[in-house]
Amino acid sequence: MPPLLKIRSERDSMSAIERRIADFILDNAHLLRDYSSQQLASALGISQSSVVKFSQKLGFKGYPDLKYSVGEAVARAGNGQAEAARQPAAGDDAYAALDASLRASKAAAEEETRLLNPRADVETIVGLLDQAPKVFVCGLGDDGVYAREFAMRLSLLGVLTVHHADPILLISNLSAVRPGDVLLMFSEFGQMPQLGHAAREFQGAGGKLVSITRHTANPLRAMADASLAISAHDPAPHIEQLLYRSSLQYLLDFVFVLLCQSNPERHRQLAHNLERVQHLLAS
């Protein structure tokens, strides 16, 4: 896993001093090569041993090993962005440069999201969905858009799907929950109390909770039986939101394709249902 992604992914479980080191490295990765462990410690007002222990806790031999790895990652990212920016832009073309930058950022966010969701975890979730008697899907706001679309895709595969855009209505439907049923809960930040309450009630009724949130420590993800984590980081808030949506869509698409490929009956049902839809649209 790339060092900056590893630091980001483990930040929320770090101590206060470790988070200060992590934040400094994430914000100043391109400058880290100029800092010795003592200089970094002095800049943060901590001991040099704290910097060394931080490096070792991340799996590096020491701070020089961490600094070299971060430097390589920054250089690779810089070369890739420069190459992407050069190809479409013959001159000072802001339009082409912006296009290349956005495509490169989306690709990087999707790659980080892929690395944050190990094969075993994704396959476990695919198995839960494939074997579930019913799949409940819930999401609010922007999350609701992706929840509704994914619920439709599950239905096309022949999965009995119950979509809710209101957690209160979901709670009112808990009498229909049976052991083995799955709740896909979409929540970018995983902080909304009403969603957490609905999820606990669902688990209490014997169902399994799969959370879909940012890769942060949040209540919904902490209580989930399984989770999908989305990576999206950019200094510009509007770009960061686009990266989140792009990475989320990539991950949902991959889960959908795995469901199709892992069960031939699902694939057959999809073809049959798509044919039905086409017939209705053509009539």
Side-chain angles (χ1 to χ4, degrees):
M1 183 180 291
L4 297 179
L5 177 57
K6 187 174 181 63
I7 292 171
R8 252 197 305 265
S9 67
E10 297 186 15
R11 182 192 178 280
D12 293 313
S13 62
M14 294 177 180
S15 67
I17 289 179
E18 289 170 344
R19 283 198 297 272
R20 287 171 61 191
I21 301 172
D23 290 342
F24 183 90
I25 293 175
L26 291 173
D27 293 339
N28 303 280
H30 59 294
L31 300 176
L32 197 65
R33 65 180 183 276
D34 299 325
Y35 282 81
S36 66
S37 58
Q38 183 58 61
Q39 289 171 323
L40 179 56
S42 298
L44 295 174
I46 59 176
S47 66
Q48 185 177 13
S49 63
S50 295
V51 175
V52 175
K53 289 177 182 177
F54 173 86
S55 305
Q56 293 172 340
K57 187 174 180 179
L58 287 173
F60 296 96
K61 295 178 181 178
Y63 175 74
D65 190 24
L66 169 62
K67 182 169 70 169
Y68 177 77
S69 182
V70 170
E72 274 199 325
V74 171
R76 283 196 300 269
N79 289 339
Q81 289 173 359
E83 181 63 26
R86 276 197 300 271
Q87 287 182 7
D92 225 356
D93 191 336
Y95 177 96
L98 188 60
D99 171 58
S101 175
L102 181 59
R103 285 188 287 111
S105 295
K106 281 187 172 184
E110 290 175 14
E111 176 63 10
E112 288 189 2
T113 296
R114 184 186 69 81
L115 292 171
L116 288 172
N117 295 275
R119 175 176 177 172
D121 293 355
V122 175
E123 289 183 336
T124 295
I125 292 171
V126 169
L128 287 174
L129 295 174
D130 187 44
Q131 299 300 320
K134 293 185 298 298
V135 175
F136 293 74
V137 183
C138 185
L140 306 181
D142 283 353
D143 291 310
V145 174
Y146 292 92
R148 182 173 64 251
E149 194 267 348
F150 194 65
M152 181 195 71
R153 290 190 177 277
L154 290 178
S155 296
L156 288 172
L157 288 174
V159 177
L160 180 55
T161 308
V162 183
H163 172 245
H164 284 288
D166 187 333
I168 295 176
L169 293 179
L170 172 60
I171 290 175
S172 69
N173 201 24
L174 288 179
S175 60
V177 178
R178 298 291 182 268
D181 286 351
V182 173
L183 169 60
L184 287 176
M185 186 68 84
F186 288 70
S187 179
E188 181 175 354
F189 298 102
Q191 301 283 354
M192 300 181 73
Q194 60 268 48
L195 294 183
H197 178 68
R200 279 190 296 272
E201 293 286 335
F202 187 90
Q203 289 175 310
K208 296 288 187 181
L209 170 65
V210 176
S211 68
I212 303 170
T213 71
R214 279 182 177 267
H215 189 262
T216 57
N218 60 74
L220 188 64
R221 189 177 176 209
M223 67 188 293
D225 298 288
S227 63
L228 294 174
I230 313 301
S231 177
H233 303 279
D234 195 274
H238 66 292
I239 299 296
E240 185 171 61
Q241 188 60 34
L242 294 177
L243 299 185
Y244 177 81
R245 294 175 181 178
S246 174
S247 298
L248 173 58
Q249 189 64 66
Y250 149 74
L251 193 55
L252 293 177
D253 288 346
F254 187 52
V255 170
F256 174 75
V257 171
L258 285 174
L259 276 167
C260 292
Q261 298 300 114
S262 62
N263 187 334
E265 177 58 26
R266 296 287 184 208
H267 210 165
R268 187 198 67 78
Q269 187 67 54
L270 173 64
H272 182 59
N273 284 333
L274 288 176
E275 185 178 345
R276 282 177 169 176
V277 171
Q278 285 298 112
H279 178 72
L280 287 173
L281 292 176
S283 60

